[in-house]
Each structure stands twice: as structure tokens, then as C-alpha cells.
Amino acid sequence: MATQGRSQIAKDILRRVRWLYFLFLLIAVAIVGRILWIQYGPQGAELRAQSRRITFERVAVEAERGDILARDGRILATSVPTYEIRMDLAAAGLADSVFNRHVDSLAYRLSAFFGDRSQAAYRKMLTDARADRKSNRYKLISPRRVNYLEEREIRQFPIFRLGPNRGGYIKVKVNRRLLPHGSLAERTIGTSNDAGVRIGIEGAFDEQLRGVDGSTMMQRVSGSFRIPVPDPMNVEPVNGLDVVTTIDIDLQDVAETALKQQLDRYNADWGTVVLMEVATGEIHAMTNLTRKGPGAFVEDFNYAIGRRMEPGSTFKLATLITLLEDAKMSLDREFDCENGRARVGRRNVVDDHPEGVLSLRRIFEVSSNIGFAKAVDEVYAENPARFVDFIRRTGMGDTLGIEIPGEQPPLIKHPSDGLPSWDGTSLVMMSYGYALELTPMHTLALYNAVANGGKMVRPRLVREIRNYGETVRRFGTETINPAICSKPTLRLVRECLEAVVDEGTGRVLKNPYYEVAAKTGTAQIAMESGGYTDARGGRNYLATMVGYFPADNPKYSCIVAIKTYYGRGNYNTYYGASLAGPVFRAIADRVYASNTAWHDPVDRSGEKTLPGPESIKNGLTQGLRLISNKLTLPFRIARGDDEWLYVQTPAVPAAAEAGGEEAEAAPPYLAVANDSDTIPSVKGMGLREAMYLLESKGLRVTYSGKGRVTGQSVAEGTRAVRGQTVHLTLAI
């Protein structure tokens, strides 16, 4: 019976196993059938394509943006890689046990590194994101992007060090534009972004700078981890080209600093400076600053090319050229300026400084509105179109075509425009710089043409385009007008511009080192509501100084334009000479100092002049020997081989005074009496050597002045008493 029972149990077990096998077989057949259905059923092709899209993805490879360089090759703008740090909280290999064990350590490291929130706040952010990982899988760890070295440090943090699959660490590379010199020339360098904003050189040469993006096929291996795979459709990116500008970093810094100091000192609203090379039109410095608060200035608008205003007296140069060239008027022709107030045509004209009868030359020097109004009205009252047509033919009526976007075209009215654009006062007002609008760059182009022998050239900011250091395109000088006037007229005009600095309103630029030709301008700016005066009686002014230097052989032209408000609560200067002039002078001085070719040699005889013995301070024998050898000076000690020496300048022998040979060619270095009990002579020494020598004897030393010792309060040879005070007098 027992055997029979066991046999029955075995049969039951075997039967059940068979049913299980059969069930598993049915399930397997169903699975295989489902797979075949999915693969080759009606939707098979679509599902297979979707699978490939999930597994494989074509990813764009960003091209490296080219650099923007200064004229000497220094970098003005470059791209540096930055990284966005994210965490894949649903990574396949990120186990709960690992996350829970190390999340505190990770939160601590993140808090210490970024410093933007506490450890507890980081822990809560991570745990909440982990709990909500299905809808918030790729969590941004910090809004701040990190650089390469920071990214290398972060990847070693707890959990992150396990990699993309097991630790969920994700870095997203994002190129960031870097300006190594900060805000220097920021507006000129400009920007370009995906939103379509195109400013400055970045915007004008965006196509060359951005290059061509490539693409590569990526395969998802696990979670968010992808690897590149070979594919015939992969395309390597073509990096952008480098743009070499005409900007001189050092001169740009001088221009910006001088302008900022002047704007701050006189509480002005904004200002612009452009420094241009006369012959080529290359802009070596261009700065535009806007006041945003006490001592705070930004480059948020390019006033040099984008702000069109009535230029005022700086336009009188164009009027003078017209009178001399077209009307054949003499500089000696006289006009009565009527002590500062006159009725010319249908317009009341006023001068800031009353004048009587003046020649046209002097009218230009003192910038008389009445004088120019009378001269123009006398010749062109019956045919104003003749005056305007000549002005336009010089090139002043057209856009300059500078490379960067934002240039405003000039507005020079014409009698054919009719009312209300042209009326009975337009001609008179235009003669002294009103009833027309120009940008500062247009004004500079005219003065640069005068400096350039009459040839008006196009201002430019870019010299060449390079590809890995090799020039692929070079930009040359372009001529707008080969001759704005005849050579005789040009000679007279240049004389007048030089006289403005020597005898007229531009005397602030006069200096003994180099000559400047320039013109001042002080123009009222119309209010937005109309008119030139606001409800408080205040006025907006544009103070301008424009010209070129050196006047006898022009190399650079420059314009400084500053907008300021003059009225109740603001009584600072608004004149071109006093407001814009110092900025012009600072820039010109810096340019002059950096160009040694402009300096007269110290010795015109052609012989090399060595420093005389009086240029060397007294001191240690060892030091004097070293200096003498370095400067190839003759060295001879008159007596002994003492530690301290002083230089004696030998008297010029009578033979030398008579033109003969010098009796003594080598200056003797005489020993300093340095007895332990007496006070030595320290005259001619530097302060450091004198103090060392006296204090070594226990004396106290005070001093006044700077340079070398010229006097000592206790005479040499006097017995030295420890603690005694010796006062030294120094002079350069």
C-alpha cells in the first residue's frame, strides 16, 4: 500500500510538471509570436524606425567660434568651454542603496563648492528629484556654469565619481564668449546670439566667426550614456575664422580712461571718442560710455556711428571749405560780427563772445556764428542749393559704410525738400552747424580728409581675417572721395585749423612738443519734446573737439564728443574746449609719447652722448664699478680703494674751452672719508646709501625732498655722537 501511494504521488507531480512545461511553452510561443508581430506586423516598420531613433541619435557638434584680435594679435574676444552640471536621477546603474548612503556627502561637497545654498537645501533638492525622477530625470545641479578645472573637481564628488551610468553624472559643454580685457571696447567688439541680435564686430562678421557645425551619430548604451559611433553621414565641424581688428589695446585703454574721468568729473551724460590713423582710416580706439549712476559707466550704445545730431561749430570746417573753394572767398574778407548779436536773413544769430569786424580767418579761429552766417548768406542766399550740393559732393551726404551695423546716415537738408524741412532760416543755420545732423564719425571723416591731403577714406575696424594664423583676406584702404577740394584751398584750411589751436578756441591743445590742428564745437541739442530749453530753463549740449596731429605731418585724427546738461543743479562746463579738449589732449599726449620717431634727438651732432659723471649718484665702490662698466664710462679712483666713493666732476680744462683736447678724459671717483669717529659727507648719494652710512655710526636720520642728497645738517668731519640727529635735504 505504501509503495502504491508513493507511485501515485509521483504520477501527480509528473502530471503537474508537464502542465507547467506546457504552460511555459505556450507563454514562450506567445512571446515569440508577439515579437514577430511587432517586428513584421502592420506597424513593424514604424516601430523598428522608432527603436532606431531611441537607440541612435544624430547630435550636432558645435564649431569653435573664431577669436577677435587686436591689431598686435592680443585677444579681444575668445570662446572658452564651460560646463552645465546635471544629474540623471534615473540612471540604470544608480542604486537606491548607493544614493541613500552618499547623498549627504554629495550635498556637503556641492554646498561647499558653489556656496549658493546650505547642505540641507542641496540634500532636499537631490532627494526630491530622486523621488520624482520619472518626470524630472535630468536635474540641473547649479545654475552656474563651471570651467574645465572646476568640472574635473566636481566629477570626483561622491556618487558623481561612479560615472554617468552608476552615478548619473552629466556634463553639458557650452561655449562661452570671454573678453580678456573686461569692458574695454565692449560695444565695438559687440555680440551675436541665436535671438538674432547682431552688434559690433561680432555681429558684422558672425558668418566668418561662427564656422560650420558638424554632426555625429550617437548610440545610447545605458540610461543617458551615449557613445559616438562610425557613420558615413558624420560631418566634422569647421571652426570659425579669426578677425584681426585695427584696435590698439593700449590706446583704447587711454581713451576710455580719459573719457570716463571727464564724464565723472563734470557729471556728463555720455561721451564718445574715436582715434583714427589718417592715411589708412584704421580706427585705433573707439569708446562709447553712458552714465548709469555716480561713477558708473557702461558701453551700451555706439554714439560714434549711431547718434545723429546737429554738430554745431565743428561743421564750420565744411562751410569754410565751401566758401574758399566754391565761392573763391579770401580769408582776408571782413565781416561785422556786431558785438555778438545780429539779424542775418530771417534768423537772429548770437555769438557767445561778442566780436566786432573780423576777417574770415579770424572768424574761424574764434568760431563766430554771425561771421559764417553773413558770409554764407552773402554768396548763397539766392541759390542755397549750390551751397548744399557742394557740401554733399565732399562725401558728407552719404553713409560711410563702416563694417559694423548701426550707422546712421547723415541728414543734410536740401532746398528741393520744401517745407517744413527747408525754410527761410535753414541756409543761415546750416552755415554754423545747425539744421543738419551728422554722426561724430562723419565729422571725423571730414577732418581726416583735410589731414590726408584732401582724400576722404572710409573708416574701418578690421584689418584681416585669419585661419589658424594664415591670412585668408586682407582689407585695404578704401577711398570715398579722392579730393574734397583743391590743394590751394586745402593749404589755407590747414593753416586755419592750426591757428585755432595757436590763437583761437582750441588753445587747450597747444604744447611745446608737437603741433595740433583742431576745431572746437559747442552745440545745443534739441529736447525730445521739441525746442532747445526744458521747463526748468536747462539745455542739453554737445561739446566736441576734433582735429589731427602732428599738424605738420598728420598721422592721427581724433574726435571727442561729450553730451551734458546745463541747468538748475548742474553748472559744470559745457564748452568743447574745456569739456572735450582735455580728453583729446590726454590721448594725443599718449600717442606722442609712444611714437619715438616724432621726438627730436637730444644730440643732433650725430655722436653718441654718454651720461656725464654728475648723472651717477655717490655710493659704494662696488656699485660704481658695476654702473661704470654697464654704461661704458671711464672709471678711475683718485686715491685708495675705499668702500665708499663719491663722483667728482672735473673742471673743464682751458684747452677744452678753447676747442682743444680735454686734458682729463676720465672723471675721478674720490674716496669718502669714513672714519669711525667722524660724520662723513653723504652729499650726492641716494637716500638709501646715505641712511645706511650714517645709521651704521649710531646716528638718527631725517630727510625732506626726493632725489639725491644735496645738503646735510651736520658738516662732514664733525665728531659723531651716537643718537645725534642728522637731517638730509634731497633734490632731483
Side-chain angles (χ1 to χ4, degrees):
M1 288 292 296
T3 303
Q4 227 175 14
R6 285 195 296 272
S7 176
Q8 185 63 36
I9 292 172
K11 291 179 180 179
D12 290 341
I13 293 173
L14 183 60
R15 185 174 59 253
R16 291 173 183 172
V17 169
R18 286 172 181 166
W19 278 108
L20 286 174
Y21 277 133
F22 181 71
L23 179 62
F24 286 138
L25 178 61
L26 290 177
I27 293 173
V29 170
I31 291 173
V32 172
R34 181 62 178 168
I35 291 173
L36 294 174
W37 175 263
I38 291 173
Q39 289 282 344
Y40 303 105
Q43 296 181 334
E46 181 182 349
L47 291 173
R48 286 196 300 273
Q50 183 177 352
S51 173
R52 285 193 295 271
R53 287 195 299 270
I54 294 174
T55 305
F56 295 93
E57 181 182 5
R58 183 159 295 281
V59 177
V61 180
E62 184 181 5
E64 294 288 342
R65 192 171 180 85
D67 294 338
I68 297 178
L69 309 174
R71 64 194 309 268
D72 61 357
R74 283 185 282 179
I75 294 175
L76 294 175
T78 189
S79 293
V80 294
T82 61
Y83 299 90
E84 194 177 76
I85 305 301
R86 292 182 176 269
M87 186 175 184
D88 180 5
L89 292 156
L94 181 57
D96 287 339
S97 58
V98 173
F99 180 84
N100 294 331
R101 187 183 313 122
H102 297 292
V103 66
D104 285 327
S105 299
L106 177 59
Y108 171 77
R109 294 296 301 273
L110 291 173
S111 176
F113 184 87
F114 290 107
D116 58 341
R117 64 183 76 181
S118 65
Q119 177 184 354
Y122 265 110
R123 188 185 191 285
K124 184 177 187 306
M125 179 193 75
L126 293 170
T127 54
D128 289 349
R130 176 71 172 173
D132 191 32
R133 58 183 176 272
K134 290 185 178 180
S135 59
N136 189 21
R137 179 172 181 175
Y138 303 107
K139 181 65 178 177
L140 180 65
I141 298 301
S142 173
R144 179 172 79 83
R145 294 172 183 168
V146 298
N147 60 36
Y148 174 74
L149 295 178
E150 290 176 322
E151 188 276 327
R152 292 189 64 181
E153 180 181 352
I154 292 172
R155 73 168 71 166
Q156 299 302 320
F157 286 1
I159 303 180
F160 287 171
R161 66 170 66 104
L162 299 176
N165 185 34
R166 296 175 56 211
Y169 178 71
I170 299 174
K171 63 176 182 179
V172 181
K173 181 181 176 182
V174 181
N175 284 330
R176 180 173 68 90
R177 207 62 171 162
L178 176 68
L179 304 180
H181 300 279
S183 62
L184 197 69
E186 184 177 15
R187 186 72 186 190
T188 304
I189 295 170
T191 186
S192 176
N193 58 35
D194 295 335
V197 177
R198 300 287 184 267
I199 297 173
I201 296 170
E202 291 273 17
F205 292 86
D206 179 65
E207 182 178 350
Q208 293 87 349
L209 287 165
R210 71 167 178 258
V212 181
D213 291 344
S215 65
T216 187
M217 185 65 74
M218 303 289 287
Q219 181 180 9
R220 187 191 301 271
V221 177
S222 175
S224 61
F225 185 64
R226 295 181 175 88
I227 61 172
V229 295
D231 187 270
M233 300 298 291
N234 286 351
V235 178
E236 290 293 324
V238 179
N239 293 334
L241 305 175
D242 297 333
V243 175
V244 182
T245 72
T246 61
I247 297 296
D248 184 305
I249 292 178
D250 297 326
L251 297 180
Q252 178 73 27
D253 183 49
V254 170
E256 185 169 315
T257 301
L259 180 61
K260 185 180 296 183
Q261 291 175 347
Q262 197 74 343
L263 293 176
D264 192 37
R265 179 181 180 184
Y266 290 104
N267 198 36
D269 299 323
W270 58 260
T272 182
V273 172
V274 181
L275 178 69
M276 187 160 67
E277 192 174 63
V278 168
T280 64
E282 290 189 355
I283 297 172
H284 287 190
M286 181 162 68
T287 182
N288 300 272
L289 297 178
T290 305
R291 171 182 292 277
K292 293 297 182 181
F297 299 93
V298 297
E299 277 209 340
D300 62 351
F301 187 81
N302 195 324
Y303 299 102
I305 65 171
R307 181 58 61 89
R308 188 178 65 190
M309 293 167 293
E310 293 172 309
S313 294
T314 55
F315 187 76
K316 291 171 183 174
L317 176 65
T319 303
L320 180 65
I321 293 173
T322 307
L323 291 171
L324 295 177
E325 181 78 2
D326 183 70
K328 308 301 180 183
M329 188 175 289
S330 170
L331 286 176
D332 296 326
R333 177 65 186 279
E334 294 183 338
F335 295 91
D336 186 0
C337 297
E338 302 185 32
N339 292 319
R341 292 185 177 275
R343 180 81 173 180
V344 183
R346 295 167 55 184
R347 179 77 182 179
N348 291 322
V349 185
V350 179
D351 283 334
D352 284 339
H353 305 287
E355 300 285 352
V357 177
L358 299 176
S359 67
L360 183 60
R361 183 191 301 271
R362 187 59 182 167
I363 286 171
F364 187 77
E365 292 174 9
V366 301
S367 196
S368 169
N369 294 339
I370 296 174
F372 273 103
K374 285 190 171 185
V376 169
D377 185 69
E378 178 181 284
V379 179
Y380 298 102
E382 300 300 323
N383 187 9
R386 177 184 163 193
F387 176 81
V388 178
D389 289 341
F390 184 88
I391 295 292
R392 288 183 172 182
R393 285 198 301 271
T394 63
M396 297 292 289
D398 302 320
T399 56
L400 296 171
I402 194 169
E403 305 101 323
I404 60 178
E407 180 189 354
Q408 287 290 307
L411 176 60
I412 300 180
K413 300 176 182 180
H414 195 275
S416 61
D417 298 336
L419 295 172
S421 177
W422 185 276
D423 59 27
T425 65
S426 298
L427 177 65
V428 170
M429 294 180 67
M430 190 178 290
S431 68
Y432 52 88
Y434 288 85
L436 74 154
E437 294 179 359
L438 301 174
T439 66
M441 189 69 78
H442 274 86
T443 301
L444 178 61
L446 176 65
Y447 282 75
N448 191 81
V450 172
N452 196 27
K455 182 169 68 173
M456 183 178 288
V457 296
R458 194 182 314 282
R460 59 190 178 97
L461 281 162
V462 174
R463 304 184 78 183
E464 59 186 45
I465 295 176
R466 295 177 183 170
N467 184 26
Y468 295 104
E470 296 293 329
T471 300
V472 297
R473 183 181 178 186
R474 181 173 282 108
F475 298 88
T477 302
E478 297 182 33
T479 301
I480 297 175
N481 186 348
I484 62 171
C485 63
S486 64
K487 295 298 182 181
T489 297
L490 188 69
R491 178 180 55 80
L492 296 175
V493 168
R494 291 179 64 163
E495 289 178 3
C496 290
L497 284 170
E498 294 174 29
V500 169
V501 176
D502 291 335
E503 305 293 340
T505 58
R507 286 189 294 270
V508 66
L509 301 181
K510 191 173 183 179
N511 68 87
Y513 306 108
Y514 59 96
E515 294 183 355
V516 181
K519 182 73 180 71
T520 60
T522 307
Q524 296 183 43
I525 302 176
M527 299 288 178
E528 293 182 2
S529 57
Y532 291 93
T533 308
D534 62 15
R536 299 181 299 167
R539 295 172 181 265
N540 287 323
Y541 286 93
L542 181 69
T544 307
M545 179 71 81
V546 56
Y548 53 86
F549 56 93
D552 56 343
N553 185 21
K555 298 296 184 183
Y556 290 93
S557 60
C558 180
I559 187 169
V560 180
I562 297 176
K563 186 266 178 184
T564 189
Y565 175 82
Y566 184 83
R568 186 176 301 172
N570 186 350
Y571 300 104
N572 289 315
T573 182
Y574 57 86
Y575 289 104
S578 54
L579 188 55
V583 181
F584 190 113
R585 175 69 181 270
I587 297 169
D589 284 350
R590 178 63 177 83
V591 173
Y592 170 77
S594 63
N595 285 270
T596 56
W598 296 0
H599 304 172
D600 291 332
V602 175
D603 181 17
R604 294 182 179 272
S605 66
E607 298 179 359
K608 184 176 180 180
T609 303
L610 297 175
E614 63 274 9
S615 66
I616 300 177
K617 295 178 181 178
N618 302 337
L620 287 167
T621 303
Q622 182 180 0
L624 289 174
R625 288 183 186 276
L626 177 63
I627 291 174
S628 296
N629 291 333
K630 289 287 185 182
L631 298 179
T632 64
L633 292 174
F635 178 82
R636 182 170 68 83
I637 298 176
R639 63 173 187 269
D641 193 17
D642 293 73
E643 181 183 10
W644 295 88
L645 300 175
Y646 71 88
V647 179
Q648 182 187 63
T649 305
V652 180
E657 291 182 349
E661 297 181 358
E662 293 188 8
E664 181 68 59
Y669 292 175
L670 303 180
V672 172
N674 190 19
D675 298 332
S676 59
D677 296 333
T678 61
I679 294 177
S681 171
V682 294
K683 293 180 181 179
M685 291 185 180
L687 179 62
R688 182 175 61 179
E689 290 81 2
M691 291 185 67
Y692 174 83
L693 186 57
L694 294 174
E695 289 179 348
S696 66
K697 299 180 179 297
L699 303 171
R700 296 180 61 233
V701 179
T702 61
Y703 68 93
S704 59
K706 59 182 179 179
R708 69 180 70 198
V709 178
T710 58
Q712 58 188 78
S713 61
V714 182
E716 62 174 302
T718 305
R719 182 175 180 78
V721 179
R722 296 186 65 84
Q724 183 180 7
T725 299
V726 178
H727 182 81
L728 304 179
T729 303
L730 288 77
I732 297 177

